[in-house]
Amino acid sequence: MATFGTIGEFREDEGSWSEYIERMGHYFDANSIIDEGRKRSILLSVCGASTYKLMSSLAAPRKPGEVEFKELVKLMTDHRDPKPSVIVQRFKFNSRSRRLDESLSTFIAELRRLANECKFDTILVEMLRDRIVCGVADDRIQRRLLAEPTLTFEKAKDIALAMELADKNTADLRDQNKGEMVNKIAHGVRHRKSSQRPNSKKHSSCGRCGKGQHQGEACPAKDGECFHCGKKGHFAVVCRAKGERKDQRKVFHQQGKRTASNKSRTLQIETREDDESESYGLYTHSTKASKPPPIMTQLTVKGKPINFQVDTGSAVTLINEKKWLSQWSDKERPKLSEPKTRLRTYTEHLVEIIGECEVAVSKGNKEERLPLIVARGRGPNLMGRDWLHEIKLDWREINLVRVNDAVDRVFSDYAGLFTRELGKLKGVEVDLDIDPDASPKFLKARPVPFSLRSRLDQELDRLLADDIFEPVQYSNWAAPVVPVVKGDGSIRICGDYKTTINTAARSDTYPIPRVEELFARLANGKKFTKLDLSHAYQQLVLSEKSREFVTINTHRGLFRY
């Protein structure tokens, strides 16, 4: 007679004893085995040698074959799967969170398994829902679930699984698009001229930045700009256009100043005097109309007027090789010493230095001898911080007076906002809503630590001088003071109102908007402002009847706001 399925021996690493007996029960049902003696014989014949040995020990002095099937199962169940503690099982359930490499469906299935021994009964679906929200380990999914006003277990499961599937589909589409782009790039590379220099680190490094292997999104050159070709998406160290540099230089030389004013070339640098079209690689230049021009100044260097770009980000002053060779004759040109300085760009590439020297530099009536570095190429001359410390510039010469005028105009138009006096909200008074049947409470002053007393007196004097406090002789209400030390060491005086008017104040029932609602309103915002008012609460005027409620009791007597 044919049988359906097979039952192997019991193995601990493949499941618990209870699961093994459940499988055996299904095997008996599938093959219509109802005789208890036959069930026992099948169990003993397939359970395995180690399990049979354990059964013999548990059933001793009887033989396993002399014990009923149900009793054998109970002996093994009590030994291998004792009844777990509900407290421990609930702890395991409540501390279970989704692992990084775990899918949501697996996580939810594991929660269901853990809940079997927790005896949640009627609150099972609520506990599963709460555990999904708390243990999902994904901020975006968690915020979406918490935003649901009526969240059930089924709804939480459907939303979480749908968002996980959407993420997976988006990643698949992104990977496919990356693959198509790689194919296009590879196709274009095969048709490049042989004069272009290929990347020497084909397999061991990134084709964009030349450092290591990583995903395109993680590459530091993703949004970078090449100093050789001016294109975005790679650094100069791996630029394929380097082979064309010599030919390009000839063309640029022939075009002269006409080419220097061409706005379509990203690396073109336009000065007042020279055609300086190449960058050192210390910075990124752009001549797009939307970008402001560089800040230039003219200095006299060894008797020759030279235009410099003011660069507070550069620690040293540089002059390019072309200007160095063309400005002075061989006899006039200062002698260069071996370079002692090493310069690197922000992409960690070395800048080639020809040499260093000291030169006489003058601006107006002041003359100084200052160090100068000569760099290879024809990049802009940079006036760095070393010269800026010695040569004081008149910033009005470099078109910054407009900014200063605008600032002065704001100060003059709104002079009242920039005084040292405390401001005052006009036209509005704050009225404290206190239950009229409430009994007044008067509490005595608390002792003040001697280390804080002098600072507390200073703050009291300031508040009196600014008309924020006024001394009173009598009051039905009084709260003790809590001195709070601020970050700058000064004291903030706070009244401890939790035992006085807070117990008598009527709550404002205005609904506070949820943070999701606020973010939704800001979704299409373009400009945001942060407003910081000095002593903001003290700029609100209290109504006359509310002032007695906020009276404070200090070591110097009673004061009210």
Side-chain angles (χ1 to χ4, degrees):
M1 177 180 169
T3 57
F4 298 98
T6 58
I7 296 292
E9 66 178 86
F10 170 67
R11 296 175 60 89
E12 282 188 65
D13 56 347
E14 294 179 354
S16 66
W17 172 258
S18 298
E19 292 171 347
Y20 181 76
I21 293 301
E22 285 179 16
R23 289 179 54 228
M24 184 162 286
H26 295 310
Y27 175 80
F28 293 155
D29 292 340
N31 294 282
S32 302
I33 301 173
I34 59 175
D35 182 68
E36 293 295 319
R38 192 174 177 198
K39 289 181 180 180
R40 177 186 59 197
S41 299
I42 294 174
L43 172 61
L44 295 175
S45 60
V46 301
C47 68
S50 60
T51 304
Y52 185 87
K53 184 178 180 180
L54 178 58
M55 284 183 182
S56 300
S57 300
L58 295 174
R62 295 174 294 172
K63 301 283 188 182
E66 299 172 356
V67 182
E68 295 292 332
F69 171 75
K70 291 183 179 179
E71 188 179 350
L72 279 176
V73 171
K74 187 177 185 307
L75 287 172
M76 286 292 293
T77 302
D78 292 343
H79 178 77
R80 303 208 67 93
D81 296 335
K83 190 175 181 180
S85 167
V86 174
I87 296 174
V88 173
Q89 292 305 306
R90 289 186 178 183
F91 170 77
K92 290 180 180 179
F93 177 87
N94 291 322
S95 59
R96 181 65 163 88
S97 295
R98 180 187 172 202
R99 302 186 182 94
L100 292 177
D101 58 345
E102 187 176 44
S103 67
L104 269 170
S105 56
T106 304
F107 171 59
I108 295 173
E110 182 65 13
L111 288 180
R112 287 181 180 274
R113 186 190 68 79
L114 290 172
N116 285 337
E117 304 293 341
C118 292
K119 294 185 179 181
F120 287 133
D121 299 330
T122 57
I123 63 169
L124 173 61
V125 290
E126 294 181 5
M127 297 302 296
L128 288 170
R129 176 202 62 188
D130 295 350
R131 197 61 234 152
I132 289 176
V133 175
C134 298
V136 70
D138 187 309
D139 291 344
R140 194 171 55 88
I141 297 177
Q142 203 168 48
R143 284 196 296 269
R144 175 69 179 83
L145 295 176
L146 290 172
E148 283 292 322
T150 55
L151 185 67
T152 62
F153 165 65
E154 291 298 330
K155 198 178 211 178
K157 181 182 70 172
D158 293 343
I159 291 173
L161 292 175
M163 293 184 71
E164 182 186 48
L165 181 61
D167 287 343
K168 185 178 183 302
N169 291 339
T170 304
D172 291 342
L173 290 174
R174 191 184 297 117
D175 291 341
Q176 184 176 356
N177 292 336
K178 283 181 183 177
E180 292 175 359
M181 184 58 68
V182 169
N183 291 336
K184 289 179 182 178
I185 293 173
H187 179 73
V189 169
R190 286 196 293 270
H191 290 82
R192 286 182 180 270
K193 294 181 180 180
S194 59
S195 62
Q196 294 176 337
R197 187 176 72 182
N199 184 10
S200 61
K201 301 180 180 180
K202 291 181 181 178
H203 303 292
S204 61
S205 59
C206 174
R208 287 182 174 185
C209 65
K211 295 183 178 181
Q213 292 183 339
H214 41 244
Q215 297 293 330
E217 293 297 324
C219 181
K222 177 170 64 71
D223 298 319
E225 186 172 317
C226 177
F227 298 129
H228 291 291
C229 67
K231 296 180 180 179
K232 289 187 175 182
H234 66 275
F235 289 154
V237 69
V238 295
C239 182
R240 296 178 180 276
K242 285 185 179 179
E244 300 174 355
R245 289 283 300 281
K246 292 182 180 179
D247 296 334
Q248 290 175 351
R249 286 178 180 176
K250 291 179 181 179
V251 174
F252 295 160
H253 180 72
Q254 293 168 359
Q255 289 177 340
K257 291 184 179 180
R258 178 173 56 83
T259 304
S261 63
N262 185 354
K263 299 295 183 182
S264 65
R265 287 173 50 212
T266 305
L267 292 184
Q268 188 74 22
I269 304 303
E270 188 171 311
T271 66
R272 298 177 184 172
E273 182 179 276
D274 305 302
D275 170 22
E276 298 172 343
S277 62
E278 189 174 322
S279 167
Y280 293 119
L282 290 168
Y283 29 68
T284 301
H285 295 287
S286 173
T287 55
K288 294 181 181 178
S290 60
K291 300 291 180 68
I295 299 175
M296 306 297 296
T297 188
Q298 190 177 81
L299 303 173
T300 301
V301 181
K302 198 173 171 36
K304 302 287 184 177
I306 298 177
N307 288 331
F308 284 88
Q309 178 177 324
V310 179
D311 187 356
T312 59
S314 175
V316 295
T317 300
L318 302 171
I319 188 171
N320 65 66
E321 180 185 16
K322 177 189 174 184
K323 174 64 68 176
W324 176 259
L325 295 176
S326 63
Q327 201 67 16
W328 299 278
S329 65
D330 292 341
K331 292 183 179 179
E332 296 175 330
R333 192 178 304 115
K335 292 184 179 180
L336 297 177
S337 60
E338 287 293 323
K340 299 177 182 178
T341 306
R342 297 183 67 189
L343 300 180
R344 289 184 180 272
T345 66
Y346 72 92
T347 58
E348 296 298 323
H349 297 110
L350 282 171
V351 177
E352 187 175 357
I353 299 175
I354 298 175
E356 304 176 7
C357 65
E358 277 196 358
V359 291
V361 184
S362 60
K363 179 72 172 179
N365 297 325
K366 184 174 183 179
E367 180 173 321
E368 299 282 349
R369 287 195 63 81
L370 299 172
L372 181 64
I373 295 176
V374 183
R376 185 77 68 188
R378 299 186 300 170
N381 307 315
L382 295 183
M383 182 179 182
R385 295 194 300 273
D386 56 344
W387 283 26
L388 286 169
H389 279 297
E390 305 296 334
I391 303 294
K392 305 304 180 184
L393 299 179
D394 185 353
W395 293 102
R396 288 173 295 184
E397 285 185 1
I398 48 182
N399 299 324
L400 289 183
V401 68
R402 293 183 295 104
V403 177
N404 295 332
D405 288 346
V407 172
D408 292 339
R409 200 159 48 246
V410 171
F411 276 116
S412 62
D413 291 346
Y414 304 97
L417 298 179
F418 298 100
T419 63
R420 292 189 177 274
E421 297 176 1
L422 186 67
K424 181 182 293 185
L425 182 64
K426 299 177 181 178
V428 177
E429 283 190 345
V430 177
D431 192 31
L432 302 179
D433 190 7
I434 303 298
D435 186 354
D437 297 329
S439 300
K441 293 185 178 180
F442 185 97
L443 301 180
K444 65 178 182 179
R446 293 173 182 168
V448 180
F450 290 106
S451 60
L452 298 179
R453 181 163 292 190
S454 60
R455 284 180 284 173
L456 185 60
D457 285 334
Q458 289 177 4
E459 182 63 8
L460 283 171
D461 293 338
R462 183 189 71 82
L463 294 171
L464 286 168
D466 289 344
D467 200 26
I468 297 169
F469 273 1
E470 58 182 4
V472 292
Q473 252 187 323
Y474 308 102
S475 177
N476 292 321
W477 295 80
V481 166
V482 179
V484 178
V485 181
K486 297 196 288 187
D488 60 358
S490 61
I491 295 294
R492 177 185 291 112
I493 296 178
C494 302
D496 187 5
Y497 297 116
K498 67 177 182 291
T499 56
T500 58
I501 63 168
N502 282 5
T503 60
R506 289 192 275 209
S507 299
D508 192 342
T509 56
Y510 184 82
I512 299 176
R514 296 184 304 158
V515 68
E516 290 81 9
E517 296 174 7
L518 298 177
F519 287 153
R521 294 179 187 176
L522 296 174
N524 297 319
K526 302 297 182 185
K527 296 180 180 179
F528 301 90
T529 299
K530 178 181 178 181
L531 184 62
D532 188 8
L533 302 177
S534 175
H535 304 289
Y537 279 105
Q538 295 173 1
Q539 298 189 29
L540 307 177
V541 181
L542 276 170
S543 64
E544 185 65 33
K545 71 171 187 176
S546 298
R547 298 181 183 182
E548 184 181 15
F549 299 140
V550 293
T551 303
I552 59 173
N553 202 346
T554 74
H555 65 289
R556 285 170 49 177
L558 298 175
F559 296 89
R560 72 176 186 177
Y561 285 86

